[in-house]
Amino acid sequence: MQRRKFIKNSALSITGIVSSSIIASNRPSTFDENLTIKSIKPLVVCTWNFPNATSKAREVLNNGGNALDAVEQGVMIEEADPTNETVGLGGRPDRDGNVTLDACIMNKEGKCGSVVALQNIVHAISVARKVMENTPHVMLAGRGAEKFAYESGFKKTNLLTESTKKQYEEWKKTSNYKPIINIENHDTIGMLAIDINGDIAGACTTSGLAYKMAGRVGDSPIIGSGLFIDNEIGGCVATGLGEEVVKTVGSFLVVELMRQGKTPQEACEEAINRIVNKPNSDYKNFQVGYIALNKQGVTGAYAIHQYFSMTKNQDGINESIQSDYFTKP
Ligand code: ASP
């Protein structure tokens, strides 16, 4: 499909004046120049099962906030939750016992901000947003990111909790690092939202892999890998073994596939296929999952293995959707 036509079809389908069958199937419709955007349904999706986060994002949208505010405040719920051990406060440390956070955010104009290996700050996503809005850069790392956070008014917080400290002490007894992700044990939150104006934004935040090498950075703060937004087309966020997502520039790939006319579901499936079909892919031993949203508000999710899920808040109701997966018998 020609790009211009696809974009027109996308805009049409969020009007609420196009038949629901077209929205459901994501089939192109005939474009009528006289039709205008009348009503757009806000929508929030995130990786895994985080209904409190999607509810918060939804509340922001309901109160007139835009998609960027919604995704930031949505993922902040998980960053502040000490029981979520792969995001923000209470995230598991690296091999040296330091909790280092990766996060990025992207807005409707394609502007983005990112922090990598940030220590001692709970809301990495908000620092990423400040990088986007208040600096001439896209990405700040380590000490520089932390310094910038303090200068921006963030307060220093010890991110290692009693629970994660205990687990780390236990882990140190063997220091047995297996770069194989337990497929039921991810909590990186990636969120996409579409607001009342039909604009899309996304956010992704994580403490990365537990007991990673000091300095290891995954996909989550890398624009195009952990997250990508193109407001004309849609957005995608990733979770799972970041190294594999980076190798295929996963989120950018999904958005580009949607630009070529694939549904969000088809695009996520194709991006996972790229990973598993690589020569000598070790995919049986790691998990990667994508969620995607297009301009029409159609969503998709796909993973290598079972148990990946997406939380979707449409019409104010949270729905936990089990993702389809590649290794299905
Ligand atoms: N993608 C994250 C990383 O590789 C981890 C995860 O999603 O669980 O750092």
Side-chain angles (χ1 to χ4, degrees):
M1 195 188 314
Q2 285 170 354
R3 182 173 178 275
R4 188 162 160 268
K5 192 169 165 209
F6 178 72
I7 292 165
K8 281 181 174 180
N9 291 336
S10 300
L12 246 190
S13 299
I14 49 175
T15 61
I17 48 178
V18 178
S19 77
S20 59
S21 63
I22 290 170
I23 293 171
S25 68
N26 192 25
R27 276 198 307 270
S29 62
T30 310
F31 187 75
D32 179 344
E33 299 284 351
N34 296 321
L35 293 177
T36 54
I37 292 176
K38 281 192 178 160
S39 67
I40 290 157
K41 277 187 163 188
L43 172 71
V44 180
V45 283
C46 77
T47 53
W48 307 106
N49 192 28
F50 295 123
N52 294 338
T54 46
S55 290
K56 178 67 194 180
R58 185 65 205 211
E59 184 190 310
V60 172
L61 294 178
N62 288 351
N63 291 336
N66 61 32
L68 187 70
D69 295 330
V71 294
E72 180 191 9
Q73 291 183 44
V75 302
M76 281 171 73
I77 296 288
E78 292 307 316
E79 288 182 331
D81 180 355
T83 66
N84 182 335
E85 295 183 338
T86 53
V87 178
L89 178 67
R92 292 197 195 89
D94 64 16
R95 289 181 202 185
D96 296 349
N98 297 312
V99 182
T100 63
L101 306 181
D102 295 336
C104 73
I105 195 159
M106 196 159 184
N107 76 6
K108 63 175 181 176
E109 292 159 343
K111 290 187 179 140
C112 47
S114 158
V115 288
V116 304
L118 174 67
Q119 294 188 46
N120 300 312
I121 305 287
V122 175
H123 292 301
I125 198 67
S126 302
V127 184
R129 181 168 176 174
K130 291 222 180 293
V131 172
M132 174 176 82
E133 291 177 342
N134 299 343
T135 80
H137 307 303
V138 163
M139 193 178 258
L140 289 181
R143 288 261 175 87
E146 191 176 346
K147 182 168 169 272
F148 170 71
Y150 298 139
E151 285 165 4
S152 304
F154 291 82
K155 82 172 200 300
K156 185 168 184 167
T157 306
N158 176 15
L159 302 178
L160 199 64
T161 58
E162 274 313 305
S163 164
T164 47
K165 194 172 165 191
K166 231 192 212 160
Q167 291 175 44
Y168 173 63
E169 295 301 335
E170 203 47 45
W171 176 80
K172 270 204 303 192
K173 288 181 187 163
T174 58
S175 295
N176 185 16
Y177 181 74
K178 287 197 225 136
I180 297 169
I181 297 183
N182 173 348
I183 61 169
E184 283 104 345
N185 196 20
H186 297 266
D187 287 313
T188 291
I189 182 164
M191 183 178 280
L192 305 167
I194 184 162
D195 64 26
I196 192 79
N197 297 315
D199 291 324
I200 300 170
C204 187
T205 180
T206 188
S207 53
L209 301 182
Y211 318 129
K212 60 195 175 185
M213 288 175 71
R216 180 264 184 191
V217 174
D219 61 315
S220 304
I222 313 263
I223 297 295
S225 291
L227 166 72
F228 195 71
I229 302 293
D230 182 326
N231 197 42
E232 289 186 333
I233 306 299
C236 176
V237 277
T239 182
L241 186 60
E243 282 76 359
E244 298 303 320
V245 177
V246 168
K247 286 175 200 167
T248 50
V249 199
S251 292
F252 181 74
L253 174 63
V254 169
V255 173
E256 287 306 298
L257 289 166
M258 292 195 290
R259 187 193 305 281
Q260 289 163 25
K262 290 209 187 302
T263 64
Q265 185 62 34
E266 289 166 348
C268 290
E269 290 179 17
E270 166 78 29
I272 290 292
N273 285 341
R274 294 274 176 103
I275 294 172
V276 300
N277 290 332
K278 279 187 161 176
N280 303 317
S281 174
D282 192 30
Y283 71 89
K284 287 190 179 142
N285 291 317
F286 62 78
Q287 172 72 308
V288 171
Y290 292 112
I291 64 169
L293 165 72
N294 72 10
K295 193 73 175 166
Q296 296 135 306
V298 179
T299 60
Y302 198 65
I304 298 176
H305 299 283
Q306 198 174 7
Y307 304 124
F308 176 49
S309 63
M310 168 172 75
T311 308
K312 181 171 180 174
N313 190 311
Q314 197 157 31
D315 302 321
I317 297 157
N318 282 315
E319 196 186 344
S320 178
I321 298 167
Q322 280 302 315
S323 166
D324 203 359
Y325 55 99
F326 179 82
T327 54
K328 217 161 53 180

